[in-house]
Amino acid sequence: MENLLSTTNSKTTINTVCRRVPAIEMLSSSIFIKGAIPTVAGDRRNCPQIPIIRTGSLASAKYDNDTNEPYFCRKSANYWDKFYKRHKNKFFKNRHYLEKDWGNYFSVTDDDVNAKVLLEVGCGAGNSLFPLIAAYPKLFVHACDFSLQAVTLVKSHSNFSEAQINVFLCDVANDDLTEKVLPSSVDVVTLIFMLSAVSPNKMLSVVQNLKDVLKPNGHILFRDYAVGDSAQGKLENKNQMISDNFYFRGDGTCSFYFSEDFLSSLFIRAGFNIVDMNTYCRQMENRFHNISVQRRWIRAIFSKP
């Protein structure tokens, strides 16, 4: 990928780009009605203006007694357990785009004495880790999720091997990762549509937790929802805001929408360097119902000094 991050005199410039890229996950399948065929609009030179999103906590009538952050944080693992029990490994497609976007971070070079060690946080049903170990057979993967159902799905996968995958139950917002993974032993951490499920008040703890297990010069590869995504507007219109840019869905799971400023500040506070950061947008069209929605996400790379 063309590097759109430039650094001059220690000042970082982050650019917003719009191009044809692989489709991202949509946790709200109701965007496209069953039987309709979504299509993708052509390449766009400029992202349309981000719609205005109101700030301040809102409460839906049926959640009058429960619309507060601690409630959703306490229930989060239960909601994701129900999600994976219902959908199993059928909801998300395998993320083969990781090989294209970041293949050099997973591959072994002649200078590498040992195999690369990857930590996937929020491994879900294994839609990232199994394509990666198939493409990079020398990769060793630590994989964790706070959903017991997700961990069980990974262990039951036909390609699961304890010799190559260490999967374990862990809430990285509260549990000490170094109890499961040796300190400074991981080359790469993947955060793929995971951090958005965490309360913004807990995100710094998560990032600092990851820093403890990363090697010096290790990297975090990040991809997640961006402010202005159509799903955010949908949740906003349904009065499902918990706090600024943080929402609950109909199934109880939560989603945060990142701005580049918020994400940059978060990782800089945790002591990381920004290697690359871009915001992407993609126009999705449903010709059958004549509707168009805009998906936005951020892709970034951070390094531990």
Side-chain angles (χ1 to χ4, degrees), residues 102-160:
W102 294 317
N104 59 308
Y105 289 95
F106 308 121
S107 58
V108 178
T109 67
D110 294 337
D111 296 331
D112 293 319
V113 177
N114 301 311
K116 290 283 185 70
V117 177
L118 167 71
L119 168 62
E120 187 185 12
V121 183
C123 62
N127 299 95
S128 294
L129 73 90
F130 288 113
L132 284 175
I133 63 171
Y136 306 99
K138 294 184 179 180
L139 192 66
F140 182 84
V141 180
H142 297 289
C144 66
D145 203 290
F146 70 168
S147 165
L148 181 59
Q149 284 289 330
V151 171
T152 301
L153 286 171
V154 170
K155 289 183 175 180
S156 64
H157 195 282
S158 58
N159 293 329
F160 176 75

Coordinates of all heavy atoms in Angstrom, one line a residue, residues 102-160:
W102 N -0.6 -6.3 5.0 CA 0.5 -6.3 6.0 C 1.3 -7.5 5.9 O 1.9 -7.9 6.9 CB -0.1 -6.2 7.4 CG -0.8 -4.9 7.7 CD1 -0.4 -3.6 7.4 CD2 -2.0 -4.7 8.4 NE1 -1.2 -2.7 7.9 CE2 -2.3 -3.3 8.5 CE3 -2.9 -5.5 9.0 CZ2 -3.4 -2.7 9.1 CZ3 -4.1 -5.0 9.7 CH2 -4.3 -3.6 9.7
G103 N 1.4 -8.2 4.8 CA 2.1 -9.4 4.6 C 3.5 -9.4 5.1 O 4.0 -10.4 5.7
N104 N 4.2 -8.3 5.0 CA 5.6 -8.2 5.4 C 5.8 -8.3 6.9 O 6.9 -8.6 7.4 CB 6.2 -6.9 4.9 CG 5.5 -5.6 5.3 OD1 4.3 -5.5 5.2 ND2 6.3 -4.7 5.9
Y105 N 4.7 -8.0 7.6 CA 4.8 -8.1 9.1 C 4.7 -9.5 9.6 O 5.0 -9.8 10.8 CB 3.8 -7.2 9.8 CG 4.0 -5.7 9.6 CD1 3.5 -5.0 8.6 CD2 4.9 -5.1 10.5 CE1 3.7 -3.6 8.4 CE2 5.2 -3.7 10.4 CZ 4.6 -3.0 9.3 OH 4.9 -1.7 9.2
F106 N 4.2 -10.4 8.8 CA 4.0 -11.8 9.2 C 5.0 -12.7 8.6 O 5.3 -13.8 9.1 CB 2.6 -12.3 8.7 CG 1.5 -11.4 9.1 CD1 0.6 -10.8 8.2 CD2 1.2 -11.1 10.5 CE1 -0.4 -10.0 8.6 CE2 0.2 -10.3 10.9 CZ -0.7 -9.7 9.9
S107 N 5.6 -12.4 7.5 CA 6.6 -13.2 6.8 C 7.9 -13.3 7.5 O 8.3 -12.3 8.2 CB 6.7 -12.8 5.3 OG 7.2 -11.5 5.3
V108 N 8.6 -14.3 7.3 CA 10.0 -14.5 7.9 C 11.0 -14.3 6.8 O 10.9 -14.7 5.7 CB 10.1 -16.0 8.4 CG1 11.5 -16.2 9.0 CG2 9.1 -16.2 9.5
T109 N 12.0 -13.5 7.1 CA 13.1 -13.2 6.2 C 14.3 -14.0 6.5 O 14.4 -14.7 7.5 CB 13.5 -11.7 6.3 OG1 14.0 -11.4 7.5 CG2 12.2 -10.8 6.1
D110 N 15.3 -13.9 5.7 CA 16.6 -14.6 5.9 C 17.3 -14.2 7.2 O 18.1 -14.9 7.8 CB 17.5 -14.5 4.7 CG 17.0 -15.1 3.5 OD1 16.1 -16.0 3.6 OD2 17.4 -14.7 2.4
D111 N 17.0 -13.0 7.6 CA 17.6 -12.4 8.8 C 16.9 -12.9 10.1 O 17.5 -12.8 11.2 CB 17.6 -10.9 8.8 CG 18.5 -10.3 7.7 OD1 19.4 -11.0 7.3 OD2 18.1 -9.3 7.2
D112 N 15.7 -13.5 10.0 CA 15.0 -13.9 11.2 C 15.5 -15.3 11.6 O 15.4 -16.3 10.8 CB 13.5 -14.0 10.9 CG 12.9 -12.6 10.6 OD1 13.3 -11.6 11.4 OD2 12.1 -12.4 9.7
V113 N 15.9 -15.4 12.8 CA 16.4 -16.7 13.3 C 15.2 -17.6 13.7 O 15.2 -18.8 13.5 CB 17.3 -16.5 14.6 CG1 17.8 -17.8 15.1 CG2 18.5 -15.6 14.2
N114 N 14.2 -16.9 14.3 CA 13.0 -17.7 14.8 C 11.8 -17.3 14.0 O 11.8 -16.2 13.3 CB 12.8 -17.4 16.3 CG 14.0 -17.8 17.1 OD1 14.5 -19.0 17.0 ND2 14.4 -17.0 18.0
A115 N 10.7 -18.0 14.2 CA 9.5 -17.7 13.5 C 8.9 -16.5 14.2 O 9.1 -16.2 15.3 CB 8.5 -18.9 13.7
K116 N 8.1 -15.7 13.4 CA 7.4 -14.6 14.0 C 6.3 -15.0 15.0 O 5.7 -16.1 14.8 CB 6.7 -13.8 12.8 CG 7.7 -13.1 11.9 CD 8.2 -11.8 12.5 CE 9.1 -11.0 11.6 NZ 8.3 -10.4 10.5
V117 N 6.2 -14.2 16.0 CA 5.1 -14.5 17.0 C 4.1 -13.4 16.9 O 4.4 -12.2 17.0 CB 5.7 -14.5 18.4 CG1 4.6 -14.7 19.5 CG2 6.8 -15.6 18.5
L118 N 2.8 -13.8 16.7 CA 1.7 -12.9 16.6 C 0.8 -13.1 17.8 O 0.5 -14.2 18.3 CB 0.9 -13.3 15.3 CG -0.4 -12.6 15.1 CD1 -0.3 -11.2 14.8 CD2 -1.2 -13.3 13.9
L119 N 0.2 -12.0 18.2 CA -0.9 -12.0 19.2 C -2.1 -11.4 18.5 O -2.1 -10.2 18.1 CB -0.5 -11.2 20.5 CG -1.7 -10.9 21.4 CD1 -2.3 -12.2 22.0 CD2 -1.2 -10.0 22.6
E120 N -3.1 -12.2 18.4 CA -4.4 -11.6 17.9 C -5.3 -11.4 19.1 O -5.7 -12.4 19.8 CB -5.1 -12.5 16.9 CG -6.2 -11.8 16.3 CD -7.1 -12.7 15.3 OE1 -6.9 -13.9 15.2 OE2 -7.9 -12.1 14.7
V121 N -5.7 -10.2 19.3 CA -6.6 -9.8 20.4 C -8.1 -9.7 19.8 O -8.3 -9.0 18.9 CB -6.2 -8.5 21.0 CG1 -7.1 -8.2 22.2 CG2 -4.7 -8.6 21.4
G122 N -9.0 -10.4 20.5 CA -10.3 -10.5 20.0 C -10.4 -11.4 18.8 O -10.8 -11.0 17.7
C123 N -9.9 -12.7 19.0 CA -9.8 -13.6 17.8 C -11.1 -14.1 17.3 O -11.1 -14.5 16.1 CB -8.9 -14.8 18.3 SG -9.7 -15.8 19.6
G124 N -12.2 -13.9 18.0 CA -13.5 -14.4 17.5 C -13.4 -15.8 17.2 O -12.9 -16.7 17.9
A125 N -14.0 -16.2 16.0 CA -14.1 -17.6 15.6 C -12.9 -18.0 14.8 O -12.8 -19.1 14.3 CB -15.3 -17.8 14.7
G126 N -11.9 -17.1 14.6 CA -10.6 -17.4 13.9 C -10.6 -17.0 12.5 O -9.8 -17.5 11.7
N127 N -11.4 -16.0 12.1 CA -11.5 -15.5 10.7 C -10.2 -14.8 10.3 O -10.0 -14.6 9.1 CB -12.7 -14.7 10.5 CG -14.0 -15.4 10.8 OD1 -14.5 -15.3 11.9 ND2 -14.4 -16.1 9.8
S128 N -9.4 -14.4 11.2 CA -8.1 -13.8 10.9 C -6.9 -14.8 11.0 O -6.1 -15.0 10.1 CB -7.8 -12.6 11.8 OG -8.7 -11.5 11.5
L129 N -6.9 -15.5 12.1 CA -5.8 -16.4 12.4 C -5.6 -17.6 11.5 O -4.5 -17.9 11.1 CB -5.8 -16.8 13.9 CG -6.8 -17.8 14.4 CD1 -6.2 -19.2 14.3 CD2 -7.1 -17.5 15.9
F130 N -6.7 -18.2 11.1 CA -6.6 -19.4 10.3 C -6.1 -19.0 8.8 O -5.3 -19.8 8.3 CB -7.9 -20.2 10.3 CG -8.1 -20.9 11.6 CD1 -9.2 -20.5 12.4 CD2 -7.3 -21.9 12.0 CE1 -9.4 -21.2 13.6 CE2 -7.5 -22.5 13.3 CZ -8.5 -22.2 14.1
P131 N -6.6 -18.0 8.2 CA -6.0 -17.6 6.9 C -4.5 -17.2 7.1 O -3.7 -17.5 6.2 CB -6.9 -16.4 6.5 CG -8.2 -16.6 7.2 CD -7.9 -17.2 8.5
L132 N -4.2 -16.6 8.2 CA -2.8 -16.2 8.4 C -1.8 -17.4 8.5 O -0.8 -17.5 7.9 CB -2.6 -15.3 9.6 CG -3.1 -13.8 9.4 CD1 -3.1 -13.0 10.7 CD2 -2.3 -13.1 8.3
I133 N -2.2 -18.4 9.3 CA -1.3 -19.6 9.5 C -1.3 -20.4 8.2 O -0.3 -21.1 8.0 CB -1.7 -20.4 10.7 CG1 -3.1 -21.0 10.6 CG2 -1.6 -19.6 12.0 CD1 -3.5 -22.1 11.6
A134 N -2.3 -20.3 7.4 CA -2.3 -21.0 6.1 C -1.3 -20.4 5.2 O -0.6 -21.0 4.4 CB -3.7 -21.1 5.5
A135 N -1.3 -19.0 5.2 CA -0.4 -18.3 4.3 C 1.0 -18.2 4.9 O 2.0 -18.2 4.1 CB -0.9 -16.9 4.2
Y136 N 1.2 -18.3 6.2 CA 2.5 -18.2 6.8 C 2.7 -19.3 7.8 O 2.5 -19.2 9.0 CB 2.7 -16.8 7.5 CG 2.4 -15.7 6.6 CD1 1.1 -15.0 6.7 CD2 3.3 -15.2 5.7 CE1 0.8 -14.0 5.8 CE2 3.0 -14.1 4.9 CZ 1.8 -13.5 5.0 OH 1.5 -12.5 4.1
P137 N 3.0 -20.5 7.3 CA 3.1 -21.7 8.2 C 4.1 -21.7 9.3 O 4.0 -22.4 10.3 CB 3.4 -22.8 7.2 CG 3.7 -22.2 5.9 CD 3.3 -20.8 5.9
K138 N 5.1 -20.7 9.2 CA 6.0 -20.6 10.3 C 5.6 -19.7 11.4 O 6.3 -19.5 12.4 CB 7.4 -20.2 9.8 CG 8.0 -21.2 8.8 CD 9.4 -20.7 8.4 CE 10.1 -21.8 7.5 NZ 11.4 -21.4 7.1
L139 N 4.4 -19.1 11.2 CA 3.9 -18.1 12.2 C 3.4 -18.8 13.4 O 2.7 -19.8 13.3 CB 2.8 -17.3 11.6 CG 2.3 -16.0 12.3 CD1 3.4 -15.0 12.3 CD2 1.0 -15.5 11.6
F140 N 3.8 -18.3 14.6 CA 3.2 -18.9 15.9 C 2.2 -17.8 16.4 O 2.5 -16.6 16.5 CB 4.2 -19.2 16.9 CG 3.6 -19.7 18.2 CD1 3.3 -21.1 18.3 CD2 3.2 -18.9 19.3 CE1 2.7 -21.6 19.4 CE2 2.6 -19.4 20.4 CZ 2.4 -20.8 20.5
V141 N 1.0 -18.2 16.8 CA -0.1 -17.3 17.1 C -0.6 -17.5 18.5 O -1.0 -18.6 18.9 CB -1.3 -17.4 16.1 CG1 -2.4 -16.4 16.5 CG2 -0.8 -17.2 14.7
H142 N -0.5 -16.4 19.3 CA -1.3 -16.4 20.6 C -2.6 -15.7 20.2 O -2.6 -14.7 19.5 CB -0.6 -15.5 21.6 CG 0.7 -16.0 22.1 ND1 0.9 -17.2 22.9 CD2 2.0 -15.6 21.9 CE1 2.1 -17.4 23.1 NE2 2.8 -16.4 22.5
A143 N -3.7 -16.3 20.6 CA -5.0 -15.7 20.3 C -5.9 -15.7 21.5 O -6.0 -16.7 22.2 CB -5.7 -16.5 19.2
C144 N -6.5 -14.6 21.7 CA -7.4 -14.5 22.9 C -8.7 -13.8 22.6 O -8.8 -13.0 21.7 CB -6.7 -13.8 24.1 SG -6.3 -12.0 23.8
D145 N -9.7 -14.1 23.4 CA -11.0 -13.4 23.3 C -11.6 -13.5 24.7 O -11.3 -14.4 25.5 CB -11.9 -14.1 22.3 CG -13.0 -13.2 21.8 OD1 -13.9 -12.9 22.5 OD2 -12.9 -12.8 20.6
F146 N -12.5 -12.6 25.0 CA -13.2 -12.7 26.3 C -14.5 -13.4 26.2 O -15.2 -13.6 27.2 CB -13.4 -11.3 27.0 CG -14.4 -10.4 26.4 CD1 -14.8 -9.2 27.0 CD2 -14.9 -10.6 25.1 CE1 -15.7 -8.4 26.5 CE2 -15.9 -9.8 24.6 CZ -16.2 -8.6 25.3
S147 N -14.8 -14.0 25.1 CA -16.0 -14.8 24.9 C -15.5 -16.3 24.9 O -14.7 -16.7 24.1 CB -16.7 -14.5 23.5 OG -17.6 -15.5 23.2
L148 N -16.1 -17.0 25.8 CA -15.8 -18.5 25.9 C -16.2 -19.2 24.6 O -15.6 -20.1 24.2 CB -16.4 -19.1 27.1 CG -16.2 -20.6 27.4 CD1 -14.7 -20.9 27.5 CD2 -16.9 -21.0 28.6
Q149 N -17.4 -18.7 24.1 CA -17.9 -19.3 22.9 C -16.9 -19.2 21.7 O -16.7 -20.1 20.9 CB -19.2 -18.7 22.5 CG -20.4 -19.2 23.3 CD -20.8 -20.6 23.0 OE1 -20.6 -21.1 21.9 NE2 -21.3 -21.3 24.0
A150 N -16.3 -18.0 21.6 CA -15.3 -17.7 20.6 C -14.1 -18.6 20.7 O -13.6 -19.2 19.7 CB -14.9 -16.3 20.6
V151 N -13.6 -18.7 21.9 CA -12.4 -19.6 22.2 C -12.7 -21.0 21.8 O -11.9 -21.8 21.2 CB -11.9 -19.5 23.7 CG1 -10.9 -20.5 24.0 CG2 -11.4 -18.0 23.9
T152 N -13.9 -21.5 22.2 CA -14.3 -22.9 21.9 C -14.4 -23.1 20.4 O -14.0 -24.1 19.9 CB -15.7 -23.1 22.5 OG1 -15.6 -23.0 23.9 CG2 -16.2 -24.6 22.2
L153 N -14.9 -22.1 19.6 CA -15.0 -22.2 18.2 C -13.6 -22.4 17.6 O -13.4 -23.1 16.6 CB -15.7 -21.0 17.6 CG -17.2 -20.9 17.8 CD1 -17.8 -19.6 17.4 CD2 -17.9 -22.0 17.0
V154 N -12.6 -21.6 18.1 CA -11.3 -21.7 17.5 C -10.7 -23.1 17.8 O -10.1 -23.7 16.9 CB -10.4 -20.6 18.2 CG1 -8.9 -20.9 17.8 CG2 -10.8 -19.2 17.7
K155 N -10.9 -23.6 19.0 CA -10.3 -24.9 19.3 C -11.0 -26.0 18.6 O -10.4 -27.1 18.3 CB -10.5 -25.2 20.8 CG -9.6 -24.3 21.7 CD -9.8 -24.7 23.2 CE -8.8 -23.9 24.1 NZ -8.9 -24.2 25.5
S156 N -12.2 -25.8 18.1 CA -12.9 -26.9 17.4 C -12.7 -26.8 15.9 O -13.2 -27.6 15.1 CB -14.5 -26.8 17.7 OG -15.0 -25.6 17.2
H157 N -12.0 -25.8 15.4 CA -11.7 -25.6 14.0 C -10.8 -26.8 13.5 O -9.9 -27.2 14.2 CB -11.0 -24.3 13.7 CG -11.0 -23.8 12.3 ND1 -10.1 -24.4 11.4 CD2 -11.8 -22.9 11.7 CE1 -10.3 -23.8 10.2 NE2 -11.3 -22.9 10.4
S158 N -11.1 -27.2 12.3 CA -10.4 -28.3 11.7 C -8.9 -28.1 11.5 O -8.1 -29.0 11.5 CB -10.9 -28.7 10.3 OG -10.9 -27.6 9.4
N159 N -8.5 -26.8 11.4 CA -7.1 -26.4 11.3 C -6.4 -26.0 12.6 O -5.2 -25.5 12.5 CB -6.9 -25.3 10.2 CG -7.3 -25.8 8.8 OD1 -7.2 -27.0 8.5 ND2 -7.8 -24.9 8.0
F160 N -7.1 -26.2 13.7 CA -6.5 -25.8 15.0 C -5.4 -26.8 15.3 O -5.5 -28.0 15.3 CB -7.5 -25.8 16.1 CG -6.9 -25.5 17.4 CD1 -6.5 -24.2 17.8 CD2 -6.8 -26.5 18.4 CE1 -6.0 -23.9 19.0 CE2 -6.3 -26.2 19.6 CZ -5.8 -24.9 19.9

